[in-house]
Amino acid sequence: MDTDLSSQDRKDLDKFIKFFALKTVQVIVQARLGEKICTRSSSSPTGSDWFNLAIKDIPEVTHEAKKALAGQLPAVGRSMCVEISLKTSEGDSMELEIWCLEMNEKCDKEIKVSYTVYNRLSLLLKSLLAITRVTPAYRLSRKQGHEYVILYRIYFGEVQLSGLGEGFQTVRVGTVGTPVGTITLSCAYRINLAFMSTRQFERTPPIMGIIIDHFVDRPYPSSSPMHPCNYRAGEDNGAVYPSVEDSQEVCTTSFSTSPPSQCVFTVTKAHFQTPPPVVTDTLKVPVMGLAFSHQPAALGVGSADMGYPVLFAGGLHAAHPHQLIGPGKEGGVPPIPSQPAHGTQADQERMCTPLDGVHYSAATPSSSEDTETVSNSSEGKCGSPHDLLETIFVRKVGAFVNKPINQVTMANLDIPFAMFAPKNVELEDNDPMVNPPDSPETESPLQGSLHSEGSSGSSTGNTHDDFVMIDFKPAFSKDDILPMDLGTFYREFQNPPQLSSLSIDIGAQSMAEDLDSLPEKLAVHEKNVKEFDAFVETLQ
Amino acid sequence: MNCRAEVLEVSVEGRQVEEAMLAVLHTVLLHRSTGKFHYKKEGTYSIGTVGTQDVDCDFIDFAYVRVSSEELDRALRKAVGEFKDALRGSGSDGMGQISLEFYQKKKSRWPFSDECIPWELWTIKVNVVNLANEQERQICREKVGEKLCEKIINIVEVMNRHEYLPKMPTQSEVDNVFDTSLKDVQPYLYKISYQITDSLGTSVTTTMRRLIKDTLAL
């Protein structure tokens, strides 16, 4: 009931709440800029410092906040939320925190608006200053730069906590009772930041998001674009945004969860979907030792979320001295134009006006996922083409491998340090193509060769897989002319022998010897040039 | 009224004592400081502006916000420095506590001196640990950082209860409630004292009075 509140008090209260909301946003965003904030105390009141605190006003942030509020005030069911998220240079993003300014119905009629409420709001802002340095996102934001940047988004309405992952924690900054309700300020923050890298191993798809549509709908009440927690102080747009790596290398991860002998590259790109705004977890967090770069190549397309370019990532810290803001001083920050975000590539250059009427949906790259699973068990890069291919290489170990009867162990050979010598000598013995099975038609050697323990035909170690041999009967493959049928032929020649030049044989020529013999070989070939030319002619 | 008392405990390495204490004390004082009052006619007053600044710790993975007042910072550093020296000194097994007390002065009639009535008391119990190698120190850096984060949240929680605060004074009474000696901010009247527990477990009280205008009106 507002009848007890005088109209002057009511007006004052509304004004206090409005400016409190704006200052709250300023404090939160400034705390995520990645720099140390410093403002001066002033003994003489200037009249322009709300709540007697020197909190600078960044114009873009104020503008965004006002836009989100759209003339309303936080009320029951209508909260003002500031979402802080992290975006890597490849375009992956993840929500880190949601700060909520809420109002509930519990009223305190006795409280004096102009005095007690005001002072308590001031105290709450001080608490907010303290708490913003204490959540995990603060340390992340201080380290932002080349590899990732921190973005903010303001929305008004219902609080959406789903993007924070499981097990998020909440901290309450404080409450202030007013005659019209109780203002509550709290923060929900993700805690499993440290496990981002390992989560990639547990989850397979989807790891990366691809945006197919600029205007993906997001289940947020207001689809406001994300903004960088960064701003310039007057210089021109020399945006040093970390460029997206268009190298398209899909598997640059260096984890190896299985023995290197079994390389399974599965690169599938599924159809585009519009997934829930779930966080992808393959982020390149510099604090981790691992480097993953996820390939959002097609991500380039319309990441409509990035309404505001992420700028100045790199040298920003150096470029920005501490902001010593006296009351009333403008930071001299030019408005950052919003941009028709075309993904991360676009982020580098574009500028747009904040007054751009287009509403970009606040989709982050993660919001449209593809089921690109890259499980690369071998180290190093696998340069699989990053496009709509389905490439499955499965190299099995010797389907024809016989258990060696006369296995020559290294220990029997009379060489020094036999145990440490490469084991490839025996591999050649076991290579089925070098020693082909007895008869291509019988099935018993095939069945007997299923176990590949220790005697792997592959040169890269051993596997413990048991292959179940199914009778391979290719259709329409009977051929009366040749003694063997297609299936047998296929099986027999499934594993071609190693090239002799590639096999590492102790007795083989060394590289140096090879090189030495090259000139002679060249001389011989030169002599026969005419023959070669004639041969080539016949081919044409 | 009763004095509200809060106790916080931390275990830190020797070189972290100073920063940890400063972090806690500054956070409390941030909440317990206002801008300078300027009294006008008819009993109204205006309040100055309090600035803030971020402080990074060198020996702890932690950052905190303090009031932008060099005088206040100096006063706290002096007190914490003495506490740290006492902790390191002989007879100490690394346990001690530092207290920040907010009080009000109540003027008494002559010949009695003014009373100091505390209304809030913050006690930080410190346990200094010795670490053997660099790896442990690194872990300690992070752990203490996390602990301090928890302490800050605790402090903010207490502040948020909006329990007793002295009434805003009139111009003549302002010195009984606030410390008006600083030129840029105005914290509530406070004093810092510390105690070191010696190895025998008995408490050797070493009280250090903060340099405030605590003159005896005799």
Side-chain angles (χ1 to χ4, degrees), chain A residues 36-43 45 49 52-54 115 120 123 126-127 129 133-134 138 142 171 173-175, chain B residues 30-31 33 36 38 46-54 56 63 65 68 149 153 156 160 162 168 183 185:
Chain A
K36 282 164 70 162
I37 304 294
C38 181
T39 58
R40 287 202 353 230
S41 305
S42 162
S43 63
D49 290 317
N52 308 118
L53 282 173
Y115 168 68
R120 287 188 180 177
L123 197 69
K126 290 174 182 169
S127 297
L129 280 163
R133 274 66 177 170
V134 146
Y138 179 70
R142 288 293 298 270
V171 62
V173 183
T175 59
Chain B
L30 169 69
H31 289 83
S33 301
K36 298 282 289 177
H38 295 272
S46 57
I47 310 179
T49 303
V50 172
T52 56
Q53 60 186 80
D54 282 314
D56 286 339
V65 177
S68 286
C149 288
I153 295 177
V156 164
N160 178 55
H162 300 303
M168 284 300 151
K183 65 176 195 297
V185 293

Side-chain angles (χ1 to χ4, degrees), chain A residues 199-519:
Chain A
R199 274 192 344 171
Q200 184 178 355
F201 307 141
E202 291 148 17
R203 270 176 50 164
T204 36
I207 305 181
M208 190 179 81
I210 291 192
I211 295 174
I212 54 163
D213 193 325
H214 285 250
F215 308 108
V216 173
D217 275 57
R218 246 194 156 187
Y220 282 125
S222 78
S223 51
S224 51
M226 306 288 289
H227 310 288
C229 290
N230 255 322
Y231 65 94
R232 285 176 295 210
E235 58 174 72
D236 217 320
N237 177 22
V240 189
Y241 179 59
S243 58
V244 176
E245 282 157 338
D246 287 330
S247 60
Q248 310 313 322
E249 282 185 327
V250 184
C251 7
T252 53
T253 57
S254 59
F255 61 90
S256 139
T257 53
S258 47
S261 65
Q262 188 177 21
C263 298
V264 180
F265 303 116
T266 315
V267 178
T268 55
K269 220 155 199 187
H271 5 283
F272 301 135
Q273 328 156 359
T274 320
V278 170
V279 175
T280 61
D281 50 2
T282 51
L283 297 181
K284 218 177 187 181
V285 176
V287 295
M288 301 299 139
L290 294 173
F292 309 62
S293 43
H294 226 43
Q295 272 338 294
L299 233 178
V301 179
S303 50
D305 48 316
M306 300 301 141
Y308 287 71
V310 184
L311 313 166
F312 325 95
L316 188 58
H317 308 293
H320 264 162
H322 287 290
Q323 318 272 347
L324 280 180
I325 311 294
K329 213 185 342 173
E330 267 302 285
V333 179
I336 295 182
S338 58
Q339 87 178 30
H342 285 293
T344 43
Q345 297 137 340
D347 293 346
Q348 301 172 38
E349 285 98 41
R350 312 269 211 88
M351 301 285 295
C352 30
T353 61
L355 304 171
D356 193 339
V358 183
H359 249 294
Y360 298 111
S361 65
T364 63
S366 65
S367 67
S368 52
E369 313 168 89
D370 79 328
T371 54
E372 180 168 283
T373 39
V374 178
S375 69
N376 173 18
S377 60
S378 71
E379 294 195 347
K381 302 177 184 203
C382 70
S384 304
H386 184 86
D387 54 336
L388 286 162
L389 286 186
E390 210 172 284
T391 319
I392 301 179
F393 302 108
V394 176
R395 184 163 177 221
K396 292 190 192 154
V397 173
F400 282 76
V401 172
N402 271 322
K403 253 194 177 169
I405 304 164
N406 304 317
Q407 186 168 9
V408 176
T409 60
M410 291 310 297
N412 293 346
L413 293 183
D414 191 16
I415 55 174
F417 303 108
M419 295 314 293
F420 301 106
K423 296 189 170 63
N424 293 310
V425 172
E426 58 178 74
L427 293 180
E428 203 175 313
D429 287 337
N430 295 332
D431 192 322
M433 288 308 138
V434 174
N435 303 324
D438 297 333
S439 146
E441 283 160 325
T442 61
E443 297 202 4
S444 42
L446 300 180
Q447 283 166 353
S449 67
L450 295 184
H451 299 283
S452 55
E453 78 225 18
S455 54
S456 108
S458 119
S459 60
T460 50
N462 60 345
T463 66
H464 300 282
D465 294 320
D466 287 334
F467 294 103
V468 176
M469 190 59 80
I470 302 170
D471 208 358
F472 184 53
K473 289 200 169 85
F476 315 114
S477 68
K478 264 283 182 338
D479 193 341
D480 294 327
I481 302 171
L482 292 175
M484 68 166 86
D485 64 23
L486 180 61
T488 319
F489 175 83
Y490 180 76
R491 277 194 299 269
E492 192 175 312
F493 294 102
Q494 188 176 34
N495 283 328
Q498 266 202 328
L499 291 177
S500 57
S501 56
L502 288 181
S503 65
I504 305 166
D505 192 348
I506 295 175
Q509 280 183 324
S510 67
M511 175 80 104
E513 288 173 79
D514 277 337
L515 285 175
D516 285 343
S517 64
L518 268 180

